[in-house]
Amino acid sequence: MNISKLFSVRTMADVWDSDLVYSFKKSRVTVIAAIVTLMIIAASLTAPWIAPHDPFDVATLSLMDSELPPFWVDGGDPRFLLGTDNQGRDVFSVILYGSRISLAVGFISVVLAMAFGICFGLLSGYFGGVIDAVFMRIADIMLSFPTILVALLVSGIVRGVLPREMHENAALVVLVFAIAVTTWVQYARTVRGSTMVERNREYVMAARLVGRNPFAIIFRHIFPNVLGPVLVIATINLAMAILIEATLSFLGVGMPPTNPSLGTLIRVGNEFLFSGVWWVVIFPSLTLVMLVLAVNLLGDWLRDALNPKLR
Amino acid sequence: MMNNRNADTAPLLEVRDLSIAFDTRRGLLRAVDGMSFKLVPGEILGVVGESGAGKSLTGAAIIGLLEPPGHVSGGEIHFEGTRIDNFSREQMRQMRGKKIGAIFQDPLTSLNPLLTIERQLVETIQTHLNLDSGEARQRAIELLTEVGIPAPEKRIDHYPHQFSGGMRQRVVIALAICAQPKLIIADEPTTALDVSIQAQIIALLKKMCREHGTAVMLITHDMGVIAETCDRVAVMYSGRLAEIGPVHQVVKEPRHPYTRGLMGSIPAIGTGSERLTQIKGAMPRLKDIPPGCAFHPRCSEVMERCSSIKPIPVEINDSEVACLLYEKGT
Amino acid sequence: MNDLMRENSGVPLLSMRGVKKYFDISPPFLNRVLERKPIQHLRAVDGLDLDIPRGTTFSLVGESGCGKSTVAKLVVGLYRATEGSISFEGVDVTGMPAGKPLALRQRMQMIFQDPYASLNPRWRVRDIIAEPLRSFGLRRSRSEELNEVGRLLDLVGLNAQDGEKYPHEFSGGQRQRISIARAIASNPDFLVCDEPTSALDVSVQAQILNLMKELQEELGLTYLFISHDLAVVNFMSEWIGVMYLGRIVEVGLARYVFAGPQHPYTQLLLETIPDITMQKRDREPVAGEVPNPINPPSGCTFHPRCPHADERCRSELPILAAGASGIMVACHAVHEGRLSVYSAG
């Protein structure tokens, strides 16, 4: 599905000229939010190349460099821009790698939840009847599980099943799965509602009249028309997913310190706070806040821009 | 008889060169451009035009319910000799209901679904007349009887959803006339109703008009309703006045080429034709209004000058036509 | 069914016998059991017979709630009939869903009322029009398809280049043209038109009606034309059926029915249409409204509004039987000779 089908525009010039882009350009807050998000994404993607140090290469670490403050503070070292932790790891580099994990978990879980939720919602909304009743009861059940508990549960099961060496590798998968499993319901609900509306529209009747089978109608006709609200939810959910991951990691059931995400860094850094080593927890926290705020603002703009009533 | 009243009586409503514009990112779009007409007391004026012609906007501007970003960008509206287009919201609110009433298309949304008919009627009555709640309820029941609601003492305590579409519209009419306004703006009051109910509502409007001496500005796209109801009719095209005159003249002997095309394209029972007159093309979008006469690209009698000169309404007997074919000296 | 119709052509293109469509609008199961509420049915269509001869236009006319839109959907299979039979060219299609069987449904298509909802806003016009071609396997290659789409656009008064655009770039009238192009893409014999011009301005309506008449002649189409507008029906059709609360109350050649309506409801309809010629400006309209189709009146459902209703009308349902000028009427008063019959012409 190319972009022109999604937004009914003929050429890239039309995209640039469209109402969506216009409202984007007009809102300075949104533009700044977009720039911040893009910067963090870019930085984390290029982490292996732009990070001044590799915080996971034990050979390069030296205890002599441990607990150095950021470079602008007395005692700081310009080699370690934002200081180091108790093992001599450069905080700036660690944040770059950590953001990577946070973003990866966020994106993948959102994409998974979206795919599953959209399919569920489309089938439920189109066929109605028993299928709808069953699917919706499943959804209701899922909604009653809080994400944290599900993550703990899944994590516990995985740890019990897998041998010790594999625990750390499995952490990412467990996280993504736990978040996806508890957030897909939102998409399913919204898509189901929109599908039920679109199903009765005349263009769907026309498609039935030329003998198209239900799945062709669902995925080629209805799906493009229910996508709008889903994108809004996805953007806002991205911020939420990142936060949930951070929370889980902070609680100790997320990413391990050997492959930390921003949440893990905050947990680890928290332990040093009272000994006066503030930079190990503050900088990852700030990064997390900036990222989540930026993504949320983007989601707000998208929701208002796609809302036909506000135009 | 009706026609001569225009010349002698002071107009109840006078719209002079009214323009309504919208601020959009593509610039200022003129939805109504230089509309001028008068309404005398007790007269029923029809304002007819196709969708987008600007007739609803004109009605909304008169009653002060123009939604932003639409705004009056030029001209004046005078009611009973006083200029009202520059009234504050509070002043307009006091005029509404008491001096100028309104009836809209959708009776479902005109009535508050959460309040009984009695609450809504009594509230409106007490806003404009000095009556206590017992007297107001009595007056409300009288009004419901007048508009033809059966068993009004019982039905007054019902909710809007308990009435059918036609009955709801009758209640809306009752609401509109309860404070005895001098003018009622009716915007497509019968469009959402079945044909047989439509006839009843039109008859009711006419009866209210005659008995209370209320003037009505009836906005619609349905020429048949106009022919049945109105004394005079104004035809709008692309936000401008094309033609205005006594209903017999405009319907039977239209002067403006657009009106002629419009009348020809209406199928009528009894005329056995193989083809309906059709006007090629469609009414232009607001941003694509051509220079000169807005109708000229579709006009079968277009002249060279029509693409550059914007026609001004010319008086012929009791009518006016905005067409260069009728310019003095042509 | 109708001698006049049988004279005109052989097997009618479309036939419906005793068709009923009841919608179940009962409260949910639990409510019914706990509150002892009854099962309720909405009788949208309650016993319909009609024949449409090939090459003609048959109009179904009535006000809201009479069931005419339901009939349209029953014919093409969007709804399944509760009872009765529908046959197309002698082949029984009752119970066949929309689009099946493919070969047969290719020959009947539909045009809808709402020009904004009948085209998928996310599809280009050429894909919208090509969909029937692809689905019915009518064109092999991409270029053949594009040529055909261009030809169809041209036929309905648009340009081949318009295929590249999206529906929102067109006006209401143009969208209906696109709908028509899509409907005739599979070269059908029969088109069901569900109020195709009700949402259009009067001058645009004239263009579309003229177009539909031209296409009928050029392509030899048969129309089932649904409308609430008697003047439009008068212009478009040879045959007219007047519906009231799910039944046909009068059916016959349009020119006879308009000249001499026999059923009191038809007379009411003709009386109440706003008249451009302004001959009846100050008449008194008949009182009453269309009753709720969930609880229709007993006997002849029109009796509460009928000036000629008697005891028999209140208890016994009238059946369609021949009246004057070959028109079929369902009215006791007419068959008993109680009404003065207009002479046709």
Side-chain angles (χ1 to χ4, degrees), chain C residues 285-299:
Chain C
V286 177
E289 300 191 13
V290 180
N292 192 337
I294 300 177
N295 273 323
S298 57

Side-chain angles (χ1 to χ4, degrees), chain B residues 102-288:
Chain B
I103 300 170
F104 299 105
Q105 175 173 346
D106 188 354
L108 204 53
T109 50
S110 308
L111 296 171
N112 187 333
L114 300 175
L115 300 176
T116 60
I117 303 297
E118 198 232 356
R119 276 286 298 276
Q120 300 186 52
L121 276 172
V122 162
E123 182 182 53
T124 314
I125 291 172
Q126 289 189 306
T127 309
H128 298 291
L129 302 172
N130 212 351
L131 300 172
D132 68 34
S133 43
E135 290 168 343
R137 184 188 161 93
Q138 209 33 53
R139 174 108 183 87
I141 294 181
E142 279 165 23
L143 276 168
L144 288 181
T145 322
E146 241 190 291
V147 298
I149 307 261
E153 332 70 44
K154 274 202 326 194
R155 305 222 65 185
I156 195 174
D157 292 313
H158 285 182
Y159 289 88
H161 69 263
Q162 295 172 278
F163 289 79
S164 67
M167 288 289 153
R168 273 196 288 259
Q169 201 62 312
R170 290 174 191 266
V171 172
V172 170
I173 293 176
L175 268 172
I177 59 165
C178 67
Q180 310 270 38
K182 302 272 180 38
L183 169 68
I184 291 184
I185 313 265
D187 192 348
E188 308 265 16
T190 57
T191 305
L193 305 172
D194 280 325
V195 138
S196 54
I197 313 299
Q198 188 168 292
Q200 297 170 12
I201 298 297
I202 292 174
L204 177 63
L205 265 178
K206 277 162 72 170
K207 172 170 158 255
M208 295 288 114
C209 224
R210 304 276 176 262
E211 287 178 11
H212 297 259
T214 321
V216 176
M217 181 173 147
L218 179 61
I219 301 171
T220 179
H221 65 276
D222 189 336
M223 210 56 183
V225 168
I226 298 274
E228 290 266 311
T229 333
C230 306
D231 302 314
R232 285 195 310 141
V233 56
V235 180
M236 284 186 73
Y237 183 81
S238 263
R240 299 162 192 189
L241 182 70
E243 183 164 3
I244 182 171
V247 68
H248 281 267
Q249 178 261 303
V250 175
V251 170
K252 294 254 163 98
E253 289 155 32
R255 295 199 174 105
H256 196 287
Y258 171 62
T259 322
R260 285 208 206 119
L262 201 60
M263 298 308 300
S265 55
I266 300 175
I269 302 189
T271 60
S273 52
E274 271 307 301
R275 220 168 173 277
L276 295 168
T277 311
Q278 78 186 41
I279 317 175
K280 63 177 193 270
M283 194 158 72
R285 298 203 174 157
L286 284 187
K287 55 185 170 76
D288 296 324

